[in-house]
Amino acid sequence: MDKDPRVEETVDLRTKVELVRSVSDKHHDLLRPSARNYSRGQAMDATGHGKGKYALIRDPEGFQTGVYDKPLPFYGCGIGWFSFLFGFLCPPMWFYATFLYFGNHYRKDPRERAGLGASAIAALLCSVVLLIVAVIFLLKLRSL
């Protein structure tokens, strides 16, 4: 295994512990000013004084809600799964969800994609069953 040229390894003889030192620690003056504050694990505030070993990046109390943190419509199951389930009572809902699926409605919220895809498959199966029933019905009418 090749050694990384950016890392220097040394062994402390007293504790027999292998220490690793980055090149950025040795050549601190070569770093950009913004990178100097974080290269040694020390965060610097605006006045240039070290605040401690770690810097707080984000306040846990000031949590912002993400795009997908809001619940899906129709009691949290989304329009796709709602259309799939309601389609057993009213099959045109499957076709409505199929139009949404092929219209890329799931780009607004990718969580909708699975339900809309299931509704599209259900609409396809429903269409095949209706086509078979219509062919059988037409064949029986002609035989009479």
Side-chain angles (χ1 to χ4, degrees), residues 4 16 18-19 36 52 56 59-60 62 71 77 82 89 96-97 102 105 108-109 114 132 139:
D4 189 2
K16 298 197 189 273
E18 189 174 357
L19 302 174
R36 288 181 192 157
L56 183 61
D59 186 20
C77 68
F82 178 79
L89 298 175
Y96 169 71
F102 288 123
H105 176 75
K108 291 181 183 175
D109 193 347
I132 291 172
L139 290 175

Side-chain angles (χ1 to χ4, degrees), residues 4 22 34 43 48-49 51 57 59 61 69-70 72 77 80 83 86 90 94 96 106-107 111 115 118 130:
D4 189 2
S22 173
S34 62
H49 301 295
K51 292 186 92 174
I57 296 173
D59 186 20
E61 299 296 325
D69 288 339
K70 62 182 179 182
L72 290 171
C77 68
S83 298
F86 192 63
C90 180
W94 288 331
Y96 169 71
Y106 56 84
R107 287 194 181 172
R111 298 177 293 174
L130 286 176

Side-chain angles (χ1 to χ4, degrees), residues 14-143:
R14 286 182 287 160
T15 59
K16 298 197 189 273
V17 175
E18 189 174 357
L19 302 174
V20 177
R21 184 175 210 184
S22 173
V23 171
S24 63
D25 289 341
K26 291 186 344 185
H27 304 288
H28 188 66
D29 56 331
L30 299 177
L31 293 174
R32 292 181 313 214
S34 62
R36 288 181 192 157
N37 295 338
Y38 296 103
S39 67
R40 293 187 179 160
Q42 295 274 334
M44 305 288 267
D45 62 359
T47 61
H49 301 295
K51 292 186 92 174
K53 189 172 184 178
Y54 299 104
L56 183 61
I57 296 173
R58 198 175 312 160
D59 186 20
E61 299 296 325
F63 179 71
Q64 291 181 336
T65 58
V67 176
Y68 304 120
D69 288 339
K70 62 182 179 182
L72 290 171
F74 298 104
Y75 303 103
C77 68
I79 194 166
W81 287 115
F82 178 79
S83 298
F84 178 74
L85 294 173
F86 192 63
F88 289 104
L89 298 175
C90 180
M93 286 298 290
W94 288 331
F95 296 99
Y96 169 71
T98 302
F99 286 119
L100 290 178
Y101 181 72
F102 288 123
N104 292 331
H105 176 75
Y106 56 84
R107 287 194 181 172
K108 291 181 183 175
D109 193 347
R111 298 177 293 174
E112 295 278 5
R113 188 174 192 168
L116 292 173
S119 295
I121 292 170
L124 175 70
L125 293 175
C126 180
S127 298
V128 169
V129 168
L130 286 176
L131 183 65
I132 291 172
V133 167
V135 167
I136 291 173
F137 185 70
L138 287 174
L139 290 175
K140 282 194 176 188
L141 282 178
R142 289 190 187 235
S143 66

